[in-house]
Amino acid sequence: MVMVKSTNQVSTVRPRGGYVAMTAVLAMFTTWVSSANADEAATTGSAAESVPGWTVLPLGRIAIGAAVPLTGSSTLSAAADVTVGMRVLAPMRLPRVGLVGEAGYSYAGELAQPTHLFSAGVGPGVTTGFVGVSWMPRFLVGTSLGEDAIGVRNGWVVDWVGLATAEIAHEYVRTETQRRHDLRVTFSFDLGLAIFAFGKSQPPRPR
């Protein structure tokens, strides 16, 4: 009788550091999404009914940045905005789409040659709960270099949990004697949403 003995070898492969980090980030995100869904399910009493309804969030932004003239002088000038409005999210699971509307005061230029404008607009947006992107077209009216002015601004806005935002926009302003194109880059903090969230037991993050 012949006995045959087999040996099974087990090899261990250690994951690389990048893979471990990616897995950890994915796990954190999955945990957050699961927690959000669980909270919604507990509120409605059923996972099948966990789709959130219409959500309205306030906006109260203070933005600072710079404006770069694309025509005429290339001198960099200060830019600032103070706006109020709201974000309306459609009843659906993440990612959620909706509309962003805001109106307020806009400043650009130097103290000796300022531009004071009223801005108002509504645009579509989408959010994952952590990061949101929206397109904001705005109508502008006011004064520029001492003359009555009218114009438009088209901007792309990126926000982090709805609180911190960055915007890059093209602005066209027309007066009786001038036609001006500017590139505006601003960064803002949403005080309206921060105050609203502070008054709640949980932040009103989109779910």
Side-chain angles (χ1 to χ4, degrees):
M1 177 183 244
V2 179
M3 301 290 294
V4 179
K5 183 178 181 181
S6 63
T7 303
N8 294 327
Q9 295 181 350
V10 179
S11 59
T12 303
V13 179
R14 296 183 178 179
R16 297 181 179 178
Y19 175 80
V20 174
M22 184 183 303
T23 303
V25 172
L26 181 60
M28 292 174 60
F29 180 78
T30 304
T31 301
W32 181 86
V33 173
S34 299
S35 177
N37 291 336
D39 292 344
E40 188 66 29
T43 302
T44 59
S46 172
E49 302 174 356
S50 63
V51 177
W54 288 96
T55 304
V56 179
L57 302 174
L59 299 178
R61 297 175 178 166
I62 299 178
I64 57 174
V68 181
L70 301 178
T71 56
S73 173
S74 59
T75 303
L76 187 70
S77 59
D81 298 293
V82 179
T83 58
V84 295
M86 65 179 60
R87 179 187 290 110
V88 180
L89 300 176
M92 57 189 298
R93 294 186 177 90
L94 292 171
R96 298 181 67 182
V97 298
L99 291 175
V100 180
E102 61 180 13
Y105 167 75
S106 181
Y107 167 87
E110 302 175 356
L111 294 178
Q113 296 179 323
T115 295
H116 303 283
L117 300 171
F118 169 79
S119 68
V122 178
V126 60
T127 179
T128 66
F130 284 111
V131 179
V133 179
S134 58
W135 170 57
M136 281 298 300
R138 300 180 182 89
F139 171 75
L140 307 172
V141 61
T143 61
S144 179
L145 304 178
E147 297 182 286
D148 293 338
I150 190 171
V152 293
R153 181 187 303 164
N154 284 286
W156 286 100
V157 182
V158 178
D159 68 80
W160 179 75
V161 294
L163 294 177
T165 66
E167 177 179 4
I168 181 169
H170 169 262
E171 178 177 288
Y172 170 73
V173 175
R174 173 180 178 177
T175 67
E176 184 177 352
T177 61
Q178 294 185 14
R179 309 289 185 272
R180 198 182 74 230
H181 294 268
D182 289 345
L183 179 67
R184 290 172 61 98
V185 179
T186 56
F187 301 91
S188 66
F189 183 77
D190 192 342
L191 289 176
L193 184 60
I195 295 174
F196 182 80
F198 183 77
K200 298 290 184 177
S201 59
Q202 295 182 351
R205 63 187 182 190
R207 292 179 293 180

